[in-house]
């Protein structure tokens, strides 16, 4: 390594270490229940029961009214102290509901209890404990077996919470002409964002730093008078709208000339994380920006389709040097400035980390009267909590819930991002929010992402669904399969060893009669990143169909050997960080959504269509049945 390269690597390493130290408190509220505080549930969950399976213990319990989720606790044996069960996601540990699979249970006789939470840090009393031991081998007929039954009964139209928005790093990257891995940054990111619109139906992009000094939005002349210049914003948003996408206007970070604490920054590009030193000037900036966007892009367009989110994760010191009350003042001031431009514009927050500040934020709005058109927050490595009870407690039950950041990990350069585990995790998260959240925005679309410096090699554990160079990672294919599902969701029953806690399914029927069944085997436990043979399952899939009905069947698979481009690069890379032109060509040819078995014609029998296949953990199968219409006799 040359001296400049070594210096850059050392600088990046120091930045990463500093980031991890500062980010440490992110999930602390979800890890330690602490003493009860105001707003904690008074009731312990009832009916807790544990079902032992091969390599896992499944827990389920009765719901507690008003709970956002549940914190599962484990003791090594009866009589030992309980501790929250850490599944390694790096953020909130509470889950929105049961059932929950402990896929790394203790070798002894583990003991479990569950507590309800209204939000991380507000945890109620523990339930009565239960014990269970996972089956080491297949000791019974049912161990390792799961049955998925699809009925021809429509449950309703399938929601698609991935479509409203996706995340991206600061959008000024679209203007960049330098290269990473021989790919022009701006062009490559543009292609990535366009792919999300074409493949997943994504409608908007949420990104940081539209007010950063890189775009020179706010300056002051020699006399100290403010100057607003939105030329840079126009260049960025013009690029985005040309792709057929709209922005979620995250109003961040603070222009240095307007900052109270101008030397407090975050990220490699030095975003200022301070409150304003002059609140009136901040309000004027936001009002002028909003009026400018309406003038440039049209009032009907901006009012109907755009939205404005106030700041990013202000409950973390790494993103906000002010107090909670100062953030609330920022929200109120910003909301008033946006609505002064047009009362129909959408404004929301608190855009908090780890589902924090929700109750305090809503209580503040009850007093201040500031508008709230959507409630936004973030979580990683877990299924999002259920925020509907919090909104209902504050008389806001109709307010949309937007998870404006969500993914497998909050940690930069984490291997999970490039794995099949993340693909199955993505589907688990999507399934969990159906009918209870309006948007689940994956963070992020592309590995063109430089919060801690630019990527230094092709597969580096980046946040993106797509690599630099737009290779599709396994979780890209998972979301592509979800998008391929039909309009109407069919009633689906899952039974057996790990049903609903590991093995889940969504089945649909399209307007053309096409049936799609998406089945995955997953766990929240990231110690199982590479799987465990004890957690693999044998799937028996039964689909109701008229006897004698004929279909063309395809079966696509995501697992270690299918729809997984990472091993192809490992086989060819040698010591290279990036592909050469020939390697790029071979990788793109190999970057396919793979079939698990060849397409075949199948005919329904007296019990319908019955198919059997093995499904590893982690793993995803998508079975599609297209009706074969018999030719009419002349």
């Amino acid at each position: 390594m040359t001296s400049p390269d070594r210096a850059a690597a050392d600088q990046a390493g120091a930045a990463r270490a500093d980031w991890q130290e500062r980010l440490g408190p992110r999930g602390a509220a979800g890890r330690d229940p602490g003493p009860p505080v105001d707003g904690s549930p008074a009731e312990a969950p009832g009916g807790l029961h544990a079902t032992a399976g091969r390599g896992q213990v499944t827990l389920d319990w009765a719901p507690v009214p008003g709970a956002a989720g549940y914190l599962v606790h484990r003791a090594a044996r009866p009589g030992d102290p309980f501790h929250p069960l850490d599944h390694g996601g790096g953020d909130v540990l509470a889950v929105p509901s049961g059932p929950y699979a402990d896929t790394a249970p203790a070798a002894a006789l583990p003991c479990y209890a569950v507590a309800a939470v209204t939000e991380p840090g507000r945890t109620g009393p523990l339930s009565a404990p239960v014990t269970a031991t996972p089956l080491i081998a297949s000791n019974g007929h049912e161990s390792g077996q799961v049955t998925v039954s699809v009925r021809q009964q429509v449950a309703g139209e399938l929601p698609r919470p991935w479509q409203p928005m996706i995340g991206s790093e600061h959008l000024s990257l679209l203007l960049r002409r330098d290269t990473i891995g021989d790919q022009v940054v701006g062009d490559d990111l543009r292609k990535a964002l366009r792919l999300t619109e074409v493949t997943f139906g994504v409608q908007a992009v949420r990104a940081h730093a539209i007010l950063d000094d890189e775009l020179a939005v706010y300056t002051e002349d020699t006399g100290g008078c403010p100057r607003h210049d939105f030329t840079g914003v126009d260049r960025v948003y013009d690029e985005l709208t040309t792709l057929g996408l709209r922005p979620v206007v995250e109003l961040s970070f603070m222009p240095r000339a307007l900052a109270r604490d101008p030397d407090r920054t975050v990220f490699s590009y030095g975003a200022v994380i301070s409150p304003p030193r002059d609140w009136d000037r901040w309000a004027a900036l936001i009002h002028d920006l909003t009026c400018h966007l309406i003038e440039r892009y049209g009032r009907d367009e901006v009012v109907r389709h755009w939205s404005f989110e106030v700041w990013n994760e202000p409950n973390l010191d790494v993103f906000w040097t002010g107090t909670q009350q100062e953030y609330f003042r920022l929200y109120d001031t910003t909301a008033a400035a946006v609505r002064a431009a047009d009362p129909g514009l959408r404004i929301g927050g608190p855009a908090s980390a780890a589902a924090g500040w929700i109750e305090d934020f809503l209580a503040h709005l009850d007093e201040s009267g500031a508008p709230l058109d959507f409630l936004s927050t973030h979580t990683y490595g877990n299924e999002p909590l259920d925020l509907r009870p919090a909104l209902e407690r504050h008389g806001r039950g109709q307010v949309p819930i937007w998870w404006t950041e969500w993914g497998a990990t909050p940690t930069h350069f984490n291997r999970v991002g490039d794995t099949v585990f993340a693909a199955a995790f993505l589907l688990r998260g999507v399934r969990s929010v159906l009918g209870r959240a309006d948007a689940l925005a994956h963070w992020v679309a592309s590995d063109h992402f430089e919060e801690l410096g630019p990527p230094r090699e092709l597969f580096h554990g980046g946040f993106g669904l797509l690599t630099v160079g737009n290779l599709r990672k396994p979780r890209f294919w998972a979301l592509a399969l979800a998008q391929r599902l039909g309009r109407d969701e069919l009633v689906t029953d899952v039974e057996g060893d790990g049903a609903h806690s590991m093995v889940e399914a969504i089945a649909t029927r399209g307007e053309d009669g096409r049936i799609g069944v998406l089945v995955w085997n997953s766990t929240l436990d990231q110690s199982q990143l590479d799987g465990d043979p004890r957690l693999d399952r044998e799937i028996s899939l039964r689909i109701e169909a008229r006897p004698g009905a004929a279909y063309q069947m395809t079966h696509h698979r995501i697992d270690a050997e299918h729809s997984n481009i990472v091993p192809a690069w490992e086989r060819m890379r040698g010591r290279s960080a990036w592909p050469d032109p020939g390697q790029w060509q071979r990788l793109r040819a190999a970057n396919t959504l793979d079939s698990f078995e060849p397409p075949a014609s199948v005919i329904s029998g007296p019990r319908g269509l019955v198919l059997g296949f093995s499904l590893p953990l982690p793993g995803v199968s998508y079975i599609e049945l297209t009706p074969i219409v018999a030719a009419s006799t002349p």
Side-chain angles (χ1 to χ4, degrees):
M1 184 182 291
T2 65
S3 295
D5 287 343
R6 186 177 300 280
D10 290 345
Q11 184 178 11
R16 293 174 194 176
D18 174 67
W19 171 262
Q20 296 304 336
E21 181 179 353
R22 297 164 74 189
L23 196 63
R26 175 186 186 96
R31 297 180 177 281
D32 181 3
V37 298
D38 184 43
S40 298
E43 182 181 340
L48 176 64
H49 60 277
T51 304
R54 192 176 71 190
Q56 61 90 23
V57 173
T58 289
L59 303 163
D60 208 355
W61 53 87
V64 173
Y70 303 86
L71 196 58
V72 179
H73 294 66
R74 186 178 67 191
R77 58 187 61 82
D80 283 3
F82 282 105
H83 299 284
L85 207 160
D86 189 346
H87 44 70
D91 215 25
V92 176
L93 298 185
V95 294
S97 64
Y100 177 93
D102 179 9
T103 51
L109 184 68
C111 191
Y112 300 94
V114 177
V117 303
T118 50
E119 67 177 34
R122 289 175 168 163
T123 307
L126 286 174
S127 68
V130 297
T131 59
T133 302
L135 304 180
I136 303 304
S138 192
N139 295 331
H141 177 68
E142 295 300 321
S143 184
Q145 307 286 325
V146 177
T147 300
V148 179
S149 300
V150 178
R151 298 186 240 162
Q152 292 284 357
Q153 178 184 347
V154 174
E157 186 171 338
L158 179 71
R160 297 175 188 267
W162 60 86
Q163 288 189 337
M165 67 192 74
I166 200 166
S168 184
E169 239 289 72
H170 61 129
L171 288 176
S172 55
L173 288 172
L174 289 167
L175 309 179
R176 292 258 296 270
R177 304 303 303 165
D178 59 317
T179 62
I180 295 176
D182 294 329
Q183 312 299 307
V184 177
V185 172
D187 292 348
D188 210 42
L189 178 57
R190 193 176 298 110
K191 292 174 184 176
L193 294 177
R194 177 61 177 161
L195 268 172
T196 69
E197 192 272 335
V198 171
T199 310
F200 314 134
V202 167
Q203 299 160 9
V205 177
R206 176 189 179 267
H208 300 322
I210 200 64
L211 300 179
D212 271 19
D213 288 343
E214 182 182 18
L215 297 179
V217 171
Y218 179 95
T219 56
E220 294 180 358
D221 63 19
T222 54
C225 293
R227 289 181 175 175
H228 301 165
D229 184 349
F230 303 123
T231 305
V233 173
D234 293 344
R235 292 177 65 201
V236 168
Y237 284 168
D238 285 356
E239 291 281 356
L240 194 63
T241 55
T242 299
L243 297 173
L245 293 162
R246 299 176 170 106
V248 174
V249 184
E250 180 200 292
L251 294 166
S252 73
F253 289 99
M254 191 61 60
R256 187 174 300 276
L258 187 54
R260 184 186 70 192
D261 309 314
D263 296 328
R264 297 286 299 277
T265 64
V266 69
F267 301 148
S268 64
Y269 50 88
V272 178
I273 57 174
S274 167
R277 60 177 175 81
D278 187 313
W279 292 89
D280 291 338
R281 291 190 177 191
W282 168 262
L285 172 63
I286 299 304
H287 180 261
D288 285 359
L289 170 64
T290 311
C291 289
H292 173 80
L293 295 174
I294 289 172
E295 180 180 359
R296 183 172 185 83
Y297 298 100
R299 183 173 301 274
D300 186 62
E301 163 68 16
V302 175
V303 170
R304 290 182 59 197
H305 300 295
W306 291 34
S307 52
F308 296 80
E309 187 180 36
V310 183
W311 212 255
N312 176 72
E313 300 193 348
N315 58 325
L316 296 185
D317 292 344
V318 72
F319 286 119
W320 179 246
T321 65
T323 64
Q324 184 188 70
Q325 289 303 313
E326 284 176 315
Y327 171 74
F328 293 163
R329 182 180 181 185
L330 184 82
Y331 183 87
D332 291 357
T333 302
T334 305
V338 168
R339 285 291 188 86
D342 191 291
L345 290 170
R346 291 185 293 179
I347 186 82
S352 54
W357 282 11
I358 299 300
E359 290 284 351
D360 291 346
F361 178 66
L362 293 173
H364 165 75
L365 296 183
D366 292 344
E367 293 184 3
S368 76
L372 181 70
D373 298 300
F374 58 89
L375 180 70
S376 67
T377 187
H378 307 158
T379 199
Y380 288 91
N382 202 348
E383 302 167 7
L385 295 177
D386 189 351
L387 302 182
R388 293 175 299 176
L391 285 168
E392 290 165 0
R393 278 192 290 274
H394 294 270
R396 299 176 184 268
Q398 301 305 310
V399 170
I401 296 168
W402 292 2
W403 294 87
T404 52
E405 285 186 29
W406 174 78
T409 177
T411 307
H412 293 67
F413 312 106
N414 186 320
R415 186 171 74 89
V416 67
D418 300 329
T419 64
V420 174
F421 184 99
F425 168 86
L426 184 150
L427 294 175
R428 182 186 185 101
V430 166
R431 183 78 179 90
S432 78
V433 302
L434 296 183
R436 64 176 181 84
D438 301 270
L440 185 64
H442 186 275
W443 189 257
V444 287
S446 169
D447 276 351
H448 282 293
F449 187 96
E450 59 174 30
E451 288 183 354
L452 297 187
R456 300 185 66 83
E457 60 180 334
L458 179 59
F459 288 108
H460 58 278
F463 286 127
L465 296 171
L466 294 150
T467 70
V468 171
N470 289 321
L471 297 176
R472 283 74 161 162
K473 299 183 188 182
R475 53 190 159 143
F476 178 96
W477 293 125
L479 197 53
L481 290 175
Q483 175 65 10
R484 195 161 167 172
L485 288 164
R487 184 190 66 184
D488 295 326
E489 184 176 4
L490 298 176
V491 174
T492 304
D493 302 309
V494 183
E495 298 178 339
D497 187 354
H500 298 291
S501 63
M502 289 169 44
V503 177
E504 298 179 286
I506 301 175
T508 62
R509 186 173 61 217
E511 295 177 82
D512 58 357
R514 177 175 49 92
I515 296 172
V517 184
L518 192 52
V519 186
W520 59 93
N521 187 6
S522 69
T523 173
L524 295 176
D525 175 15
Q526 294 199 14
S527 72
Q528 302 292 354
L529 205 63
D530 297 311
D532 181 332
R534 296 177 302 167
L535 300 175
D536 297 348
R537 292 296 181 260
E538 294 297 320
I539 307 298
S540 176
L541 172 62
R542 177 181 175 273
I543 302 171
E544 272 187 5
R546 175 178 52 81
Y551 296 88
Q552 182 72 11
M553 183 187 78
T554 58
H555 185 170
H556 289 99
R557 170 61 67 84
I558 306 170
D559 61 22
E561 299 176 356
H562 297 86
S563 311
N564 181 13
I565 193 61
V566 177
W569 171 236
E570 293 300 325
R571 287 191 294 269
M572 72 174 68
R573 68 172 293 180
R575 301 183 66 182
S576 301
W578 297 101
D580 61 31
Q583 290 171 328
W584 275 120
Q585 186 175 4
R586 294 198 299 277
L587 284 169
R588 289 184 172 122
N591 192 206
T592 54
L593 176 62
D594 297 333
S595 294
F596 183 61
E597 52 189 329
S601 298
V602 294
I603 298 176
S604 176
R607 297 179 56 240
L609 287 166
V610 181
L611 311 169
F613 53 91
S614 298
L615 187 61
L617 186 149
V620 178
S621 271
Y622 178 70
I623 295 91
E624 189 171 84
L625 300 166
T626 303
I628 297 174
V629 180
S632 58
T633 304

